[in-house]
């Protein structure tokens, strides 16, 4: 019943910006880490960024300095602010979260449906 819903993808020109959002809902007791992964055409899925429950962040080298991950714990939402976008950023972006359900005793891994980001040159 736990669900991650993503939004904010689209088509932008090189150098432009997008802000992705991912909201978790359902019978959630707590959320640990949240993050973003992506799959570019012809490439395997790769890590982009993560943020812990207390705000600590980690970035892939390709994202460092251009992307910013953040979260709003009151809204169970994680964001990815993407600036200075490049054509090689074109990919399907997936939200990921470790969530403990109400009545559960451990955290499980959940994924969003993916949102397309296309950067034109």
């Amino acid at each position: 019943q736990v669900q991650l819903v993503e939004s904010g993808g689209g088509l932008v020109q090189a150098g432009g910006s997008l802000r992705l959002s991912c909201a978790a809902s359902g019978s959630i007791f707590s959320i640990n880490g949240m993050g973003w992964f992506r799959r570019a055409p012809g490439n395997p899925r790769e890590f982009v960024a993560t943020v812990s429950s207390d705000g600590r962040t980690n970035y892939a080298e390709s994202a460092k300095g251009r992307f910013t991950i953040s979260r709003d714990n009151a809204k169970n939402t994680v964001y990815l602010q993407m600036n200075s976008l490049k054509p090689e950023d074109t990919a399907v972006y997936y939200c990921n979260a470790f969530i403990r359900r109400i009545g559960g005793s451990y955290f499980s891994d959940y994924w969003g449906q993916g949102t397309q980001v296309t950067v034109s040159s």
Side-chain angles (χ1 to χ4, degrees):
Q1 191 178 2
V2 172
Q3 185 179 16
L4 301 179
V5 179
E6 302 173 351
S7 61
L11 173 64
V12 297
Q13 295 179 332
S17 298
L18 283 175
R19 190 191 191 213
L20 307 183
S21 299
C22 174
S25 62
S27 56
I28 297 170
F29 180 80
S30 63
I31 301 177
N32 203 322
M34 305 183 80
W36 294 91
F37 293 72
R38 69 187 183 187
R39 188 189 302 275
N43 291 337
R45 182 198 303 165
E46 66 174 346
F47 161 78
V48 177
T50 55
V51 57
S52 68
S53 59
D54 61 356
R56 291 171 294 170
T57 59
N58 190 30
Y59 296 94
E61 190 65 29
S62 61
K64 198 172 302 181
R66 300 187 299 124
F67 295 0
T68 302
I69 188 170
S70 61
R71 63 192 288 170
D72 184 338
N73 290 333
K75 297 182 181 295
N76 290 333
T77 299
V78 62
Y79 306 94
L80 186 67
Q81 178 66 47
M82 309 167 68
N83 299 326
S84 301
L85 284 163
K86 305 174 181 179
E88 50 262 46
D89 294 317
T90 295
V92 177
Y93 285 70
Y94 298 91
C95 175
N96 171 252
F98 288 95
I99 299 173
R100 181 184 175 185
R101 297 179 64 191
I102 295 173
S105 59
Y106 60 92
F107 289 86
S108 296
D109 199 10
Y110 292 86
W111 292 88
Q113 78 285 356
T115 184
Q116 177 70 48
V117 171
T118 302
V119 184
S120 64
S121 60

